[in-house]
Amino acid sequence: MPPRLPVRCSLRRTIAKRRHLRPFLYLSFLLFLSLLILHLASFILRRANSLGRCCYPPSPPISLSFSFPRSKIAIVTLSDESKESEIYYPGGWKRRSFVGVRNAVWGNKRRYAERMGYGFVDATTLVDRSRPPNWSKVLAVRSSLRFYDWVFWNDADTVITNSDVSLESILFGLIGHGDVQSSPDLVVTEDLNGVNSGVFFIRKSDWSQRFLEKWWNQTSFVQFGSTKSGDNAALSHLIDHLPQEELQLHVLISPMQCLFNSYPWYPSWKSYHLLISPRKTWQGVYSNGDFIVHLAGLDNKRGWALKLLQDV
Ligand SMILES: *[C@@H]1O[C@H](CO)[C@@H](O)[C@H](O)[C@H]1NC(C)=O
Ligand SMILES: *[C@@H]1O[C@H](CO)[C@@H](O)[C@H](O)[C@H]1NC(C)=O
């Protein structure tokens, strides 16, 4: 029979055991705390608009009966659901798929366009297979532009969440007048990474046609097999390298991303962005009442689209 330990000794042992547990307890506590903070952040961000965020630029005073001058506008989009549009993790796990996105959001877009009197163009047949399908937005926009004053490009993974907002009111708010001919040609938003090519306005003009041609010509940016296909980087590059004067005359960047390109926010490993650029996150985060949501960077496109459509 082993000698019994003196009481003090066994006490010391249990304490030692507990000490062993301590880092684990601390870690669980930290994990719990960060989850709590993340959920709180997501709760607050979703309510950005009621907490005083304003996506509209302060517009010139207009009388309530003011009606915007009618211009011909089309929403142009495409959705490639072929194998080529799928993205895999190394090892073969499917990462991102656009399957089912068209079924989920086309009705939403069509109804909105019909109600507002805009054209709706599905340019899926124009997809050029020699590049990732994302690039074909350039072809789609270019081919529609001659029939309209403005084309409003929408990536496939976008959902209109407030159909009371008109495209004219967005353009008027930004530009300050409704005269198409003296408007900037390209109207875009910026996110954490700079200009975003997922949702933008482009006006019928010689400048726009040439710009689209230059964009398509940026072949060195074409990238296969990644969530980035290069079309966005090419657009940023072009805009960054425009002479200052040309930039001022032709390109308008919305001061607030949430005016027409909001991103949903949810707790994830990317949440540290909130700490690095709280301002940009706040300006772009999807909040109740926003016009359009873009599922940028999200993999389960169809699931997100359906969830958003249920909420609105
Ligand atoms: C292009 O890629 C972006 C980012 O993955 C995505 O949001 C968008 O829907 C894609 N566009 C098309 C036309 O598939
Ligand atoms: C785009 O590339 C084509 C073919 O190389 C060329 O003919 C055209 O001038 C280029 N367009 C612009 C605007 O740079």
Side-chain angles (χ1 to χ4, degrees):
M1 200 168 145
R4 290 190 52 166
L5 288 166
V7 174
R8 231 193 265 151
C9 234
S10 70
L11 192 66
R12 233 180 259 151
R13 242 198 218 168
T14 34
I15 289 174
K17 245 196 229 153
R18 288 232 178 102
R19 271 211 194 112
H20 211 68
L21 272 176
R22 235 182 242 171
F24 174 74
L25 285 175
Y26 279 139
L27 271 180
S28 325
F29 178 69
L30 275 182
L31 192 69
F32 173 76
L33 197 66
S34 15
L35 281 178
L36 197 70
I37 291 172
L38 285 174
H39 277 94
L40 192 67
S42 121
F43 181 87
I44 292 172
L45 290 170
R46 182 65 185 258
R47 282 151 191 83
N49 290 338
S50 39
L51 291 171
R53 183 184 73 168
C54 183
C55 300
Y56 278 83
S59 49
I62 43 170
S63 78
L64 278 179
S65 61
F66 178 89
S67 67
F68 297 103
R70 291 300 297 184
S71 23
K72 272 184 86 178
I73 306 183
I75 298 177
V76 179
T77 187
L78 66 83
S79 177
D80 181 62
E81 304 195 350
S82 67
K83 269 261 169 279
E84 286 86 14
S85 70
E86 288 174 348
I87 292 160
Y88 292 84
Y89 283 114
W93 287 90
K94 191 185 288 180
R95 168 162 183 196
R96 182 171 295 185
S97 164
F98 281 85
V99 172
V101 170
R102 179 186 325 187
N103 271 344
V105 303
W106 258 221
N108 163 266
K109 295 284 168 69
R110 257 184 221 287
R111 272 193 302 281
Y112 172 74
E114 230 161 71
R115 190 170 146 225
M116 294 292 192
Y118 309 139
F120 177 81
V121 181
D122 176 355
T124 303
T125 52
L126 292 181
V127 171
D128 180 328
R129 295 270 160 231
S130 67
R131 300 187 187 191
N134 232 305
W135 274 89
S136 293
K137 68 178 70 169
V138 183
L139 305 178
V141 168
R142 205 166 65 182
S143 77
S144 293
L145 203 52
R146 56 197 141 121
F147 304 113
Y148 298 93
D149 297 319
W150 285 103
V151 157
F152 182 46
W153 168 261
N154 283 192
D155 264 1
D157 55 345
T158 54
V159 179
I160 289 171
T161 40
N162 184 351
S163 54
D164 291 332
V165 175
S166 73
L167 299 179
E168 288 92 340
S169 73
I170 292 175
L171 289 169
F172 185 88
L174 278 171
I175 300 169
H177 62 75
D179 177 30
V180 180
Q181 291 313 315
S182 58
S183 293
D185 301 81
L186 178 66
V187 182
V188 286
T189 57
E190 251 177 357
D191 62 18
L192 303 170
N193 305 309
V195 163
N196 179 260
S197 67
V199 187
F200 62 86
F201 290 89
I202 190 160
R203 172 172 85 80
K204 175 166 68 183
S205 71
D206 293 339
W207 185 91
S208 301
Q209 284 294 351
R210 216 172 46 92
F211 186 82
L212 290 170
E213 208 180 298
K214 273 202 291 186
W215 188 1
W216 183 253
N217 276 2
Q218 303 299 306
T219 46
S220 61
F221 286 91
V222 174
Q223 208 179 334
F224 281 96
S226 144
T227 55
K228 302 210 183 331
S229 50
D231 64 301
N232 204 137
L235 179 69
S236 298
H237 173 83
L238 281 180
I239 291 181
D240 287 348
H241 289 84
L242 281 180
Q244 195 56 33
E245 204 180 317
E246 190 176 351
L247 185 73
Q248 265 177 7
L249 216 54
H250 298 279
V251 182
L252 181 62
I253 298 175
S254 169
M256 292 296 279
Q257 188 196 331
C258 56
L259 185 59
F260 61 92
N261 193 10
S262 307
Y263 297 169
W265 196 92
Y266 66 104
S268 79
W269 66 270
K270 285 185 195 159
S271 298
Y272 69 89
H273 286 160
L274 182 58
L275 295 177
I276 300 174
S277 19
R279 200 178 136 90
K280 274 277 172 220
T281 307
W282 180 252
Q283 291 177 336
V285 71
Y286 168 58
S287 163
N288 303 329
D290 280 354
F291 169 50
I292 187 168
V293 174
H294 179 194
L295 309 173
L298 301 174
D299 292 327
N300 178 13
K301 304 282 188 193
R302 182 173 168 274
W304 271 98
L306 291 176
K307 190 162 161 287
L308 279 165
L309 284 168
Q310 231 169 36
D311 289 353
V312 297

